[in-house]
Amino acid sequence: MSLTADQIASYRTDLLEYSKFMFRSRRGMDFLPADHHKTVCDALERVIAGKVTRLIINIPPRSGKTELAVKNFISFCLGNWPDCEFIHASYAKELATANVAETRNIMQHEAFAAVFGEPSFRKDSNAKDFFKTNQGGSVMAVGVGGGVTGFGAGKMRDSFGGAIIVDDP
């Protein structure tokens, strides 16, 4: 897969453009963004920039929230900062696990490699509900009542370091 330098720069810096590209590459069809998708991505980019430290996205089911704010957001961040730490929580461990597994699948797609290069995963953490990068990043799935003691999300530094993402609590 060959991309221009301008395309790569756009996909690395614009969450909505990245999401549209990855959706088309993975599913073979266009992601047709509505106004709220741009609003969601802009809000998430403000989180990355450190301008927002707590964000609630409140839109109806089947509106693209999980696609944008979980799967694409986490993979986009790990592409840019492979040492980011995320905890993804949901009402059901199975749903959080499916989302984390899909995030890893996105990162293993050739389109992701065309934008960010091949990701480097630790071989000792390749469960569907938890994975680590060789650069110190991690993504963990947890359901209501599940424990996260001893696991972190985010890093204490000036640049973005990860987040706790609660989807469908």
Side-chain angles (χ1 to χ4, degrees):
M1 174 172 290
S2 137
L3 299 173
T4 68
D6 287 344
Q7 287 173 311
I8 291 170
S10 174
Y11 302 149
R12 284 183 178 176
T13 58
D14 186 316
L15 179 58
L16 184 57
E17 289 303 313
Y18 166 78
S19 297
K20 290 176 359 187
F21 171 67
M22 291 306 298
F23 191 90
R24 184 180 338 102
S25 299
R26 292 172 27 244
R27 298 189 181 192
M29 64 179 89
D30 287 340
F31 177 81
L32 304 173
D35 290 343
H36 72 276
H37 294 130
K38 175 80 172 127
T39 301
V40 167
C41 288
D42 288 349
L44 290 167
E45 288 174 0
R46 286 193 303 278
V47 169
I48 291 170
K51 296 175 183 172
V52 172
T53 58
R54 288 177 176 77
L55 174 67
I56 296 174
I57 300 170
N58 209 359
I59 56 177
R62 312 302 301 170
S63 296
K65 179 177 74 269
T66 301
E67 185 72 23
L68 292 174
V70 178
K71 300 170 190 175
N72 285 301
F73 179 67
I74 294 173
S75 64
F76 176 84
C77 291
L78 284 167
N80 279 294
W81 305 276
D83 66 334
C84 283
E85 299 170 328
F86 290 92
I87 294 174
H88 170 48
S90 187
Y91 71 92
K93 168 81 180 218
E94 295 79 11
L95 179 59
T97 296
N99 290 338
V100 167
E102 183 61 21
T103 300
R104 185 182 174 118
N105 289 341
I106 289 170
M107 293 176 68
Q108 292 174 317
H109 196 279
E110 67 179 333
F112 181 90
V115 174
F116 296 110
E118 289 287 330
S120 180
F121 297 108
R122 284 186 40 176
K123 293 185 184 351
D124 65 345
S125 67
N126 107 22
K128 287 185 176 184
D129 63 350
F130 181 68
F131 68 86
K132 289 183 177 183
T133 67
N134 283 319
Q135 295 82 8
S138 63
V139 182
M140 177 184 189
V142 64
V144 170
V148 292
T149 302
F151 294 91
K155 299 200 182 245
M156 298 296 290
R157 62 181 185 201
D158 290 336
S159 63
F160 185 74
I164 297 172
I165 300 173
V166 181
D167 185 28
D168 294 329

